[in-house]
Amino acid sequence: MSTIFSKIINKKIPSYIIAENENFISFLDINPLTVGHCLVVPKVETDYLFDLDDSYLKEILIFSKKISSSLSKTVDCVRVGVSVIGLEVPHAHLHLIPFINEKDMSFLNKRIKMTNKEFLDLQSRIIKNLN
């Protein structure tokens, strides 16, 4: 099962990577709901998040926590929400979405547009705030 996420993981297509380790990768969503909207993707190719091994589920949340903390320091938001939809790409993933109010988390919202320069600047600021 090769997906666009597999291509990003294997560096076959460009992305705005925020963090990566041996099991997971996080990058900016190129069609974000809000500024800072990131994806966290396991490197193992699994379609459904809850089909992952229990240890992977635990690790993906711990990995996501670091990204969420950096997002909170980088963009204007009340919280960083987590969403698991999983229909648009058949590869397990989490959405980390900085939000001001609950409506910001709706996938029915119009996506925001950002330039390459804006993505690169945001990526740099989020990485700088990773601790």
Side-chain angles (χ1 to χ4, degrees), residues 12 14-15 25 33 49-50 52 67 82 114:
K12 296 198 180 205
S15 65
I25 188 168
L33 289 172
L49 183 77
F50 295 114
L52 290 170
I67 308 301
V82 177
M114 295 176 61

Side-chain angles (χ1 to χ4, degrees), residues 112-129:
I112 63 171
K113 299 292 182 198
M114 295 176 61
T115 66
N116 182 56
K117 184 179 182 313
E118 290 170 324
F119 274 117
L120 289 170
D121 176 61
L122 179 60
Q123 175 191 32
S124 175
R125 290 186 292 126
I126 295 169
I127 290 170
K128 181 180 172 187
N129 285 321

Side-chain angles (χ1 to χ4, degrees), residues 1 6 13-14 24 33-34 43 45 48 52 54 56 61 66 78-79 83 85-86 89 99-100 102 104 121 130:
M1 158 182 97
S6 300
I13 60 173
F24 307 102
L33 289 172
T34 64
K43 290 185 175 179
E45 291 182 334
Y48 184 51
L52 290 170
D54 287 354
Y56 253 73
L61 286 176
K66 295 173 188 172
V78 172
R79 292 208 171 150
S83 181
I85 304 292
V89 178
F99 69 92
I100 302 293
E102 294 168 351
D104 294 339
D121 176 61
L130 280 172

Side-chain angles (χ1 to χ4, degrees), residues 54-109:
D54 287 354
S55 65
Y56 253 73
L57 287 172
K58 180 174 101 176
E59 289 178 43
I60 199 170
L61 286 176
I62 293 168
F63 183 85
S64 297
K65 182 179 177 181
K66 295 173 188 172
I67 308 301
S68 173
S69 176
S70 180
L71 288 171
S72 293
K73 295 173 192 171
T74 305
V75 300
D76 184 27
C77 65
V78 172
R79 292 208 171 150
V80 175
V82 177
S83 181
V84 178
I85 304 292
L87 296 177
E88 63 279 5
V89 178
H91 189 134
H93 59 284
L94 299 177
H95 293 266
L96 299 180
I97 306 167
F99 69 92
I100 302 293
N101 63 60
E102 294 168 351
K103 292 177 185 173
D104 294 339
M105 294 282 300
S106 174
F107 282 81
L108 299 175
N109 290 343

